[in-house]
Amino acid sequence: MKLSRTDRSFDIPFPFLLAGLVLLTLVLFAASVVFGRAGVLIPNAGILIGAPTTPEAVILRELRLPRAILALVVGGALGMAGAALQGLLRNPLAEPGLVGVSGTAALGAVATFYSGLAAVYPLALPLGGMAGAGLAVVLLYLLAGRDAPILTLILAGVAINAMSGALTTLALNLSPNPYAAFEVFFWLLGALTDRSMDHVDLALPFITLGMGLLATTGRGLDALTLGEDVARSLGIGIGGLQARVIIGTALAVGAAVAVSGVIGFVGLVVPHLLRPAVGHAPGRLLPASALGGGALTLAADIAVRFATDGPELQLGVLTAMIGAPFFLALVLRTRREGQ
Amino acid sequence: MTILSAHDLVVTRNGRRLLDGISADFGPGRLTGLIGPNGAGKTTFLKALLGLIPVDGGEVRLDGLPLTNYRPSDIARRVGYLAQGAPCHWPMSVERIVALGLLANGQDRRAEAAAGKQAIADALAATGTNHLRHRAVTTLSGGERTLVMIARCLAGGAPMLLADEPVTGLDPRHQLDVMDILRRRVSETAGTVAVLHDLTLAARYCNHLILMADGRIFAQGTPDVVLKPGNLAAVYRIKGGLHFVDGRQIVVSHSPEENRT
C-alpha cells in the first residue's frame, strides 16, 4: 500500500529534534554576534566585564550582543505563542501577527510613547505592549474560541488588526512632532537594530515569565486535540488552560513587540514547519517552536544586515516577505482540504 | 466499584427543559442503552452525567457523593467519555491519540514507562487496531476512527464508559465490532452506557435500556420490557416491535403511526 505524506507520522525522536534545534540556535546566535556591518568581530570573555575599552568591544557589547539576545527571545516568544494559540484554537492559521495580537501590542506600546509615559517611566513600554496583547487575545478568544471555523478566526483577526491599526495611525496622525511620528512608524515595521541592554532588561523578564506559563500548557493542548468536552473528560481544567495561554501569550508577545515592533509570520511559519517533526502533537510543538522561532529570527536578522548596501532592511519587512506567500499557500491548502 | 447516578436531574437552556426530572443509575456489570428520538435529551443526559454541563436542578452522584465535590481529574479516573463523531483536530498518529487516554489516570508522564506502554498495547489489541498504530487518525475511515477512540478510552482504564452514538454512521461490520467491544469490557467492576439509535443493536447487545422522550425517562428495564409496541408507538410514533429471527432479536419498524390530531 502506498502511503501519502499525511498517512504516516514520520517524526524524529523528540530529544534529537530538540538537541538539533538547540545546536542550530547556538550557531546562529554566535554568528549574530560575530558577523555584522562593522566586520567580523570575535568576542573574548573580557568584553563582558568592566567598561568596554576598544571600539570593537563597544560594538560587541552595546550593539551586537543585545541584538542577538533580543532576536533569540523575541523569536522564541513569537514561535511559542503561535504554537500555543494554534493549539488552543485548534487552527494552524492562528498567528500573533495575523490575528492582531502583535498589532494591538504595538498600539499599547505606541500609547505609552505618545503619552510620554515611556520617556519618564521606561517600564511603561512593555506594560503597554502586554496590556494591548492581552486585550487582543481575550477579544480573539471571545470572537473565535470554541471550534470556530477558520474563516471566523481570520475575520476576527482582520477586525482586531483594522481597529488597532486605525488607532495607531490616529496616534501618529495627531503626533505634534513629525520626526517622532516617523520614528514610531519605522519602529512599527519591526527591527532589532540599535537596541541596547536596557531593552533586554525591560523585555526579558516578562518574555521569560510568559514562555514559562506557555510551557505548562502542553498536556492540556494535547488533550484539546480531541475537542473541549473530551479534554475535560480527561481531567483537564479548560478554564485554567485558556487563562494560561492567554496570559502567557500576552506577556511574551506584548513584551516582545514593545522592544522590537511587529515582526510578523514567525509564529505561523515555524510551528508549521516543525509540526510534522513532532508528530503533530501540540504539546511537543511548544518547546520546538520556541527554539525554531529563535533560530529563524536570528537568521533573518543576520540576513537583513547584508541584504542591501544602503540602509538596513527592516526585519519585519523581511519576515513578512517570507511569511505572506507562505500564508497564502496555507490558505489555499486549507481550502482544498475543506472541499 | 463505580456507581454513577442521576437524581431528579433538570437541565434548562433558553427556557426549554432539556432534562426534566431524570433519575437513573449506572454501575458495573451492565451495558445500558440510552435510546429515544432525536432531541429527547440523550446527549444532554450523558454530558450532565460527566459534569460537562451545569445542571439546574437535582444532582449527579458518583459513588454516593455529589459530582460537584470531585476535581475533574478524579472524575476522569472513574468515568471515560467517547464523544459523538470521534473528533480529532490534528493528524496525530493512532498510537499518540491512544496515549492521550493515559491523561485520565495521571499517567501521561509515564507514557513511555512500562505500565503506560502496556495499557496502550492492550487497548490497541482489544480494539483490533494494532495494525493502524502508525497511521494518522485523520486518514482513517469513520469505523476505524471510532475503534481508535474506544482504544483511547480503554487505555485510560476508567471503570465506567459513556459513549455518545458510537455506531452512528458506521457500516454493519464496524457497528457489530464496536458493540462487541463495548459489551466485552463490561465486567463485575466495569460498566458501559451507550446512546443508540439502532433498536436491533440495542435489543441484542444491551442488558438494560433507558427509553427517553422529551427530557424524561419513558420506560426502563430489560430490552423485552422497554421495546414493547406500545412504548415504540408512544415515543417514536411507529408501529413496530421486537421479534425473533433464528433466535436473534430484531426490532422492526413496520410503518409510521397515523398522526392522531
Side-chain angles (χ1 to χ4, degrees), chain A residues 7 11 219 225 229 232-233, chain B residues 47 52 76 89 96 108 136 139:
Chain A
D7 259 1
D11 37 322
R219 234 165 70 103
T225 300
D229 281 341
R232 288 173 64 196
S233 82
Chain B
K47 287 189 176 179
L52 294 178
H89 291 277
R96 262 177 218 284
D108 65 302
T139 64

Side-chain angles (χ1 to χ4, degrees), chain B residues 2-192:
Chain B
T2 299
I3 290 171
L4 196 57
S5 55
H7 301 264
D8 211 16
L9 213 54
V10 176
V11 171
T12 311
R13 289 289 173 276
N14 306 324
R16 227 187 112 220
R17 284 206 161 193
L18 300 182
L19 296 184
D20 191 4
I22 283 196
S23 299
D25 47 53
F26 307 93
R30 278 208 311 228
L31 171 50
T32 304
L34 212 51
I35 56 173
N38 295 331
K42 304 182 293 295
T43 295
T44 307
F45 187 27
L46 221 54
K47 287 189 176 179
L49 284 171
L50 283 151
L52 294 178
I53 53 171
V55 299
D56 302 291
E59 66 179 8
V60 176
R61 289 186 204 146
L62 181 56
D63 291 337
L65 293 172
L67 198 64
T68 44
N69 286 13
Y70 291 84
R71 288 178 306 168
S73 54
D74 292 326
I75 301 173
R77 206 163 288 143
R78 294 170 172 83
V79 190
Y81 174 49
L82 183 69
Q84 195 173 342
C88 185
H89 291 277
W90 301 108
M92 281 163 76
S93 73
V94 166
E95 200 166 22
R96 262 177 218 284
I97 290 294
V98 175
L100 285 181
L102 300 179
L103 285 171
N105 56 13
Q107 262 192 12
D108 65 302
R109 285 188 190 88
R110 292 185 283 132
E112 305 294 323
K117 273 198 167 159
Q118 192 57 48
I120 295 169
D122 290 347
L124 289 169
T127 51
T129 49
N130 201 26
H131 63 291
L132 302 173
R133 62 193 302 161
H134 297 299
R135 289 270 300 276
V137 170
T138 43
T139 64
L140 302 179
S141 74
E144 290 169 332
R145 193 158 157 156
T146 303
L147 290 173
V148 166
M149 291 303 167
I150 294 175
R152 193 262 304 159
C153 293
L154 297 183
M160 287 298 294
L161 172 60
L162 309 191
D164 197 356
E165 300 203 15
V167 296
T168 301
L170 305 194
D171 62 53
R173 175 60 198 260
H174 275 112
Q175 290 192 344
L176 295 176
D177 284 347
V178 166
M179 292 309 295
D180 260 332
I181 293 163
L182 293 183
R183 185 166 65 181
R184 233 182 296 140
R185 73 172 294 281
V186 171
S187 70
E188 277 172 25
T189 53
T192 303

Side-chain angles (χ1 to χ4, degrees), chain A residues 122-216:
Chain A
L123 205 58
L125 183 67
L127 288 177
M130 288 185 288
L135 186 72
V137 190
V138 169
L139 252 172
L140 180 74
Y141 195 76
L142 290 177
L143 291 169
R146 324 229 152 203
D147 293 321
I150 287 181
L151 189 64
T152 310
L153 176 84
I154 299 299
L155 289 178
V158 168
I160 297 172
N161 262 328
M163 193 59 164
S164 62
L167 289 174
T168 306
T169 316
L170 179 71
L172 292 176
N173 208 195
L174 297 178
S175 173
N177 177 348
Y179 294 104
F182 190 68
E183 214 165 284
V184 169
F185 171 74
F186 255 90
W187 172 84
L188 279 176
L189 291 177
L192 296 167
T193 324
D194 301 330
R195 301 301 194 268
S196 70
M197 275 298 176
D198 293 342
H199 288 105
V200 175
D201 291 343
L202 279 181
L204 191 57
F206 297 112
I207 293 181
T208 310
L209 198 64
M211 288 175 74
L213 212 51
L214 292 179
T216 66

